[in-house]
Amino acid sequence: MSGHDNSFVVVANRLPVDLEIQPDGTRTWKASPGGLVTALSPVLEAEQGCWVGWPGITNDAPEPFHTENGVLLHPVKLTDVDYEGFYEGFSNATLWPLYHDLIVTPQYKREWWYSYREVNLRFAEEVAKVAAPNATVWVQDYQLQLLPGILRQLRPDLTIGFFLHIPFPSADLFLQLPWREEVVRGLMGADVIGFHLESNARNFLELATRLGLEVTGEVSTRDITAGIKVDGRTVGVGAFPISIKSSDMTRFSKAEDRDVAKLRAEFGGHHRVILGVDRLDYTKGILQRLKAFEELLESQALDPSEVTLVQIATPSRERIDHYRVTRSQVEEAVGRINGRFGQIGRPVVHYVHRAVDKDMLRKYYRLADVMLVTPFKDGMNLVAKEYVTCHDDGRGALVLSEFAGAAAELKQANLCNPFDIESIKRALLSALKALDDSPDTMRQHMLDLHAQVVQHDVDVWSRAFLSALEKAAKNK
Ligand code: ADQ
């Protein structure tokens, strides 16, 4: 499947780069944040495909252009009104909380739904224009769930895959959605629908049954053995756990390891470094992990002269209320903990609120003795996979929420329940203690985690999905 002629098209809400206009009018492109871009960029580069998406600023859509890695980017214009209704509204204040098991209450607003419908139609029209005859189109994520259905009407020749990057909730929760039939009908336009986990896929099949559709087979991983019958065809449904391009992460040169040693010295030599890396999102449980750390300092289970917490948080969805509140709670907690336990010139929590470049991020992963990944709910969580990929040296420990999709694969992690502060505290303390008391066991755990991700990297994910899609296309 080679896409030079637009025979392979990926469509996602956002392009892999964001357009930024400087005060002097200069236009620059910057990598856009998040896990979807991390996972899909290598696939598009390998396929030399076309990527249709929003360029990250409103009211502007530059002409299509090629990236230096040979991917054709095809920008779709969104107005301020679209951005508010489709993106901030329906996608991120209705669907995001609903699909993350109501960590905050979803808002159901008709104007947002109309905007979601309209923008999905616009994306579909763009794709219908650019896709070659009989092309394969791979639609990404919750912002574009109506696209498969619209696209099938506009271009019945296309083979259409859909992948959901976030969890799919139980039918009981999903059925709250006032436009539930329309969303399911939209998804049913696909030939194959992929989720991260078998449990997500089973939730979807149960929903289909409850909406009166006929379901066949049982769900499996990296294959299509279950389906839903609709309009005389069968939509394949399966689990495809996403991953990262491990070759970008694994190998550390001597010079890089020297940089890591320097960083360690800056933190005070034998200090234990605990790390968090997240988009600043209320689903990621950043505040809970800070509170757990604070309580451990308070009870003197941790000594502030021996541990440092580094929290790197990328700005995200900053105009949405819950994100603003989360940011201010996190920043208040950082200030409070440093005020209580830090020394002048030696904070106990280091916090940055910006994106860090990948090379730097790798060094922090390599440095960290314990990685804290504590989301309340997460489709997969690539940060956990990135961390263990950086530890072919067998060093370090991963504290991982049971509610991250990654927990299904990363079984040797120190699992915790992020809703229970005591559980986060226990997992962190036992990871730190085990690093001292049973280094050989911890080393074996880390090497097993590392091998799991390296052997199931993003190529395994995309190949499995695309070959399932190809099979479905042949059987049409
Ligand atoms: P996200 O919610 O964005 O992804 P995640 O999977 O952890 O979450 O991916 C985040 C990505 O952003 C990682 O590649 C990480 O390195 C990068 N990142 C985070 N903070 C950063 C920082 N400060 N600077 C630079 N880079 C940073 C969504 C779903 C996940 C799912 C992915 C992929 O919510 O559950 O795993 O899509 O499907």
Side-chain angles (χ1 to χ4, degrees):
M1 207 181 302
S2 168
H4 277 301
D5 50 1
N6 290 353
S7 60
F8 179 63
V9 179
V10 159
V11 46
N13 165 58
R14 205 144 175 184
L15 289 174
V17 284
D18 282 344
L19 181 61
E20 285 188 345
I21 302 184
Q22 308 303 329
D24 67 356
T26 324
R27 293 157 83 90
T28 52
W29 292 91
K30 199 179 102 193
S32 56
L36 186 150
V37 169
T38 306
L40 272 168
S41 297
V43 181
L44 262 286
E45 286 161 19
E47 301 279 348
Q48 298 285 287
C50 169
W51 184 314
V52 178
W54 175 58
I57 57 166
T58 48
N59 307 318
D60 199 343
E63 287 301 304
F65 66 99
H66 281 94
T67 67
E68 56 194 26
N69 298 319
V71 178
L72 174 64
L73 301 186
H74 190 100
V76 178
K77 183 160 147 183
L78 292 188
T79 64
D80 289 334
V81 175
D82 299 331
Y83 185 78
E84 276 167 37
F86 154 76
Y87 181 73
E88 296 188 322
F90 200 77
S91 297
N92 289 320
T94 305
L95 294 174
W96 180 267
L98 177 64
Y99 285 29
H100 285 87
D101 290 356
L102 318 188
I103 294 164
V104 305
T105 306
Q107 296 177 55
Y108 302 118
K109 293 197 184 173
R110 275 165 288 197
E111 316 83 90
W112 291 353
W113 163 248
Y114 299 142
S115 174
Y116 185 80
R117 245 181 10 193
E118 203 181 299
V119 172
N120 269 253
L121 176 63
R122 194 173 321 145
F123 269 82
E125 284 167 350
E126 291 292 337
V127 176
K129 262 194 278 173
V130 300
N134 304 309
T136 294
V137 176
W138 193 3
V139 183
Q140 309 293 323
D141 228 0
Y142 61 103
Q143 302 93 345
L144 299 177
Q145 294 175 103
L146 306 182
L147 213 68
I150 307 171
L151 214 44
R152 180 166 291 279
Q153 286 186 4
L154 295 177
R155 289 285 305 272
D157 59 305
L158 300 175
T159 297
I160 305 168
F162 179 88
F163 187 79
L164 186 71
H165 290 258
I166 65 174
F168 193 82
S170 76
D172 280 344
L173 295 186
F174 182 87
L175 288 168
Q176 285 189 1
L177 187 68
W179 308 278
R180 56 203 189 182
E181 277 93 3
E182 288 92 328
V183 169
V184 172
R185 208 176 310 129
L187 289 168
M188 287 305 185
D191 295 292
V192 168
I193 303 176
F195 299 90
H196 289 303
L197 304 182
E198 291 188 6
S199 56
N200 301 151
R202 278 195 293 270
N203 282 348
F204 187 68
L205 293 179
E206 148 136 35
L207 170 72
T209 308
R210 282 172 65 173
L211 293 175
L213 295 164
E214 187 187 340
V215 167
T216 60
E218 297 286 330
V219 171
S220 57
T221 295
R222 299 191 188 90
D223 197 6
I224 294 294
T225 49
I228 303 172
K229 294 204 164 159
V230 65
D231 304 334
R233 51 187 195 94
T234 303
V235 180
V237 174
F240 298 87
I242 205 164
S243 194
I244 57 165
K245 187 175 174 186
S246 61
S247 57
D248 280 357
M249 288 271 165
T250 313
R251 276 176 225 104
F252 277 77
S253 65
K254 289 214 166 66
E256 285 177 306
D257 270 332
R258 275 197 298 276
D259 290 347
V260 174
K262 262 191 236 152
L263 271 179
R264 180 169 288 283
E266 282 168 25
F267 282 106
H270 58 274
H271 251 233
R272 289 293 192 193
V273 178
I274 303 164
L275 177 67
V277 173
D278 314 77
R279 270 189 312 99
L280 210 159
D281 192 298
Y282 54 79
T283 58
K284 303 287 183 186
I286 302 171
L287 183 62
Q288 294 305 101
R289 94 178 58 129
L290 286 167
K291 282 189 177 154
F293 184 63
E294 182 176 22
E295 288 188 14
L296 289 171
L297 292 168
E298 193 172 59
S299 66
Q300 297 179 357
L302 291 180
D303 178 343
S305 67
E306 290 174 357
V307 291
T308 305
L309 176 64
V310 177
Q311 176 63 53
I312 303 176
T314 327
S316 186
R317 306 173 192 165
E318 298 224 279
R319 300 196 320 177
I320 300 174
D321 281 347
H322 282 296
Y323 287 78
R324 270 206 291 261
V325 170
T326 302
R327 178 178 172 190
S328 76
Q329 289 173 332
V330 162
E331 294 183 352
E332 186 187 314
V334 170
R336 188 180 62 237
I337 299 169
N338 279 331
R340 293 181 68 192
F341 302 105
Q343 301 292 331
I344 289 176
R346 203 165 266 295
V348 65
V349 181
H350 292 251
Y351 166 78
V352 292
H353 181 243
R354 55 181 176 268
V356 170
D357 79 54
K358 274 274 176 270
D359 289 340
M360 199 60 205
L361 205 53
R362 287 174 71 241
K363 289 177 194 163
Y364 277 104
Y365 285 141
R366 185 81 160 181
L367 166 73
D369 297 294
V370 179
M371 185 80 212
L372 272 182
V373 180
T374 58
F376 294 121
K377 190 80 185 171
D378 215 330
M380 177 54 68
N381 194 291
L382 296 180
V383 166
K385 292 191 169 184
E386 289 168 357
Y387 176 69
V388 301
T389 307
C390 288
H391 282 284
D392 61 341
D393 57 3
R395 286 189 55 261
L398 172 65
V399 170
L400 179 62
S401 159
E402 292 163 28
F403 301 103
E409 286 172 86
L410 302 181
K411 296 200 192 299
Q412 282 90 344
N414 294 57
L415 293 182
C416 69
N417 171 4
F419 295 92
D420 174 4
I421 281 210
E422 294 300 332
S423 168
I424 307 177
K425 285 161 66 178
R426 267 197 310 274
L428 175 55
L429 275 187
S430 75
L432 285 166
K433 189 162 162 13
L435 287 172
D436 286 334
D437 297 351
S438 27
D440 293 340
T441 312
M442 291 304 276
R443 186 179 153 75
Q444 197 48 53
H445 284 174
M446 185 50 72
L447 292 176
D448 290 348
L449 292 168
H450 175 82
Q452 166 67 26
V453 178
V454 171
Q455 286 158 20
H456 299 91
D457 85 347
V458 74
D459 289 340
V460 173
W461 170 74
S462 59
R463 271 203 308 270
F465 187 92
L466 292 173
S467 75
L469 190 55
E470 212 169 313
K471 240 194 284 172
K474 277 197 197 120
N475 296 337
K476 270 208 279 197

